[in-house]
Amino acid sequence: MLESWSISRRVSSGFVLVTLIIIGLSVFSHRSVSALGNGYLEYRSTAKQTISAASYMEDIFEARFAALRYSQSPSDKWRQDVNDHILAVTQDRALRSAFQDSPQHLRDVERLVAMSEQFRLNFTEMSNYVAEANTARADFSIRTAAFDNAINDIFSATIQTSTEAAITAAGRSLQTAMGAILRGNQYLTTLDPADLTAFTSEFNAFHQNLRRLEALNNQDVILAKIAALKQDLDGYTAVLETYAAAQERAAGIQDNTLYALGTGIQHGLDSIAAEIVGRQN
């Protein structure tokens, strides 16, 4: 059929065919370049999200670890580490920017950031209770040493100048005082409520014996020592009770609130990371 065409018609048809081929190649190339460009943009977005999520995970892990170490061995270093790692998250503009093209993920990130800030606030509350407990513990230790010295001084003075009945009362006072001191120090170590109850019982028994000693004694010097000791012991049991309450509140925040928040944040980040990995595959 082509043999019947004129040369001009053959040439024109050839040009049309070449033109169509060029147009087809152009369209294909444009679509390929566009797809490649879109793929690159998706890769860059995914890479930014992966880096941001990984950084977030690291900061949360470090914050949780520091909070746990602080509850076990309070120090300014661990307290500062918690605040630094949480602030690194809450003040990270790049974190939100990485997810700005993914509204659902951005909402999830904002929720997790809010939870992280709550973690920091609850940790601060816990650390304040820990500081209160440490202050009470130090006060109790100082007052216990003074208590120990004073009751031994009273006993020594009594056996030198007093009656047999007064000496017996002094001995019982010393015995129950030592029992209270032992139980109090034991509670500081164990945090066992049974030890706190035993301390209170021993201390009440000591007071009864001290009142008996005071009634039996007729030595002005010893009576003055007893009066001074009673004054020094005013509020002594309350110090240990303050320590106990502060420790209980701090432990409750660490074991319940901080653990729940930290676990929730970690699970949320794991879900985001899993979705990112799914898109890469």
Side-chain angles (χ1 to χ4, degrees), residues 56-64 86 116 262 265-266 269:
Y56 193 168
M57 287 180 177
E58 181 180 0
D59 280 314
I60 287 300
F61 174 82
E62 293 291 347
R64 296 182 69 187
I86 294 298
S116 300
I265 295 167
Q266 190 63 55
L269 289 172

Side-chain angles (χ1 to χ4, degrees), residues 6-280:
S6 64
I7 294 176
S8 61
R9 187 178 180 184
R10 293 179 184 179
V11 171
S12 298
S13 298
F15 277 121
V16 170
L17 180 60
V18 170
T19 301
L20 291 175
I21 292 173
I22 292 174
I23 292 173
L25 290 174
S26 298
V27 171
F28 174 78
S29 298
H30 176 73
R31 289 184 176 178
S32 297
V33 171
S34 296
L36 182 62
N38 291 334
Y40 171 73
L41 292 176
E42 175 66 19
Y43 168 78
R44 187 174 66 174
S45 175
T46 301
K48 289 171 61 178
Q49 292 175 2
T50 300
I51 293 171
S52 294
S55 178
Y56 193 168
M57 287 180 177
E58 181 180 0
D59 280 314
I60 287 300
F61 174 82
E62 293 291 347
R64 296 182 69 187
F65 176 77
L68 179 60
R69 290 299 303 269
Y70 183 87
S71 69
Q72 297 170 340
S73 179
S75 72
D76 290 341
K77 176 189 181 305
W78 297 123
R79 181 171 185 165
Q80 190 61 47
D81 279 356
V82 173
N83 282 286
D84 287 347
H85 285 294
I86 294 298
L87 289 176
V89 170
T90 58
Q91 297 179 358
D92 185 7
R93 295 182 179 179
L95 175 64
R96 295 173 175 82
S97 176
F99 292 92
Q100 64 182 357
D101 294 330
S102 305
Q104 179 58 51
H105 287 154
L106 183 58
R107 285 192 294 270
D108 291 339
V109 167
E110 291 289 2
R111 177 177 59 83
L112 294 176
V113 168
M115 289 173 66
S116 300
E117 175 61 15
Q118 189 60 50
F119 184 98
R120 188 182 71 84
L121 294 176
N122 286 133
F123 170 78
T124 299
E125 182 183 13
M126 183 199 77
S127 64
N128 289 338
Y129 282 129
V130 170
E132 182 182 355
N134 287 342
T135 299
R137 179 174 185 143
D139 185 21
F140 184 79
S141 296
I142 292 172
R143 298 182 72 171
T144 295
F147 180 18
D148 190 345
N149 291 333
I151 192 60
N152 275 285
D153 184 38
I154 290 172
F155 178 73
S156 297
T158 301
I159 62 175
Q160 293 175 15
T161 60
S162 297
T163 64
E164 183 177 348
I167 292 173
T168 300
R172 289 174 178 171
S173 296
L174 177 62
Q175 181 181 4
T176 48
M178 293 301 101
I181 289 173
L182 174 64
R183 290 295 191 174
N185 287 332
Q186 192 168 325
Y187 176 74
L188 292 177
T189 302
T190 65
L191 296 179
D192 186 345
D195 288 327
L196 181 60
T197 300
F199 161 77
T200 303
S201 177
E202 289 282 359
F203 190 75
N204 290 338
F206 158 74
H207 259 299
Q208 291 177 358
N209 290 321
L210 188 65
R211 284 195 294 269
R212 178 171 174 76
L213 173 60
E214 188 175 27
L216 293 171
N217 204 291
N218 56 7
Q219 301 291 326
D220 290 341
V221 173
I222 296 176
L223 290 174
K225 291 178 182 293
I226 292 174
L229 175 57
K230 290 170 66 176
Q231 183 175 358
D232 289 343
L233 290 177
D234 183 39
Y236 179 63
T237 58
V239 174
L240 196 58
E241 290 167 358
T242 296
Y243 171 81
Q247 278 284 13
E248 183 178 1
R249 293 188 183 101
I253 293 174
Q254 172 61 40
D255 296 340
N256 300 317
T257 308
L258 294 185
Y259 178 80
L261 281 171
T263 301
I265 295 167
Q266 190 63 55
H267 287 169
L269 289 172
D270 287 344
S271 296
I272 292 175
E275 197 280 333
I276 293 174
V277 171
R279 276 191 283 134
Q280 290 175 331

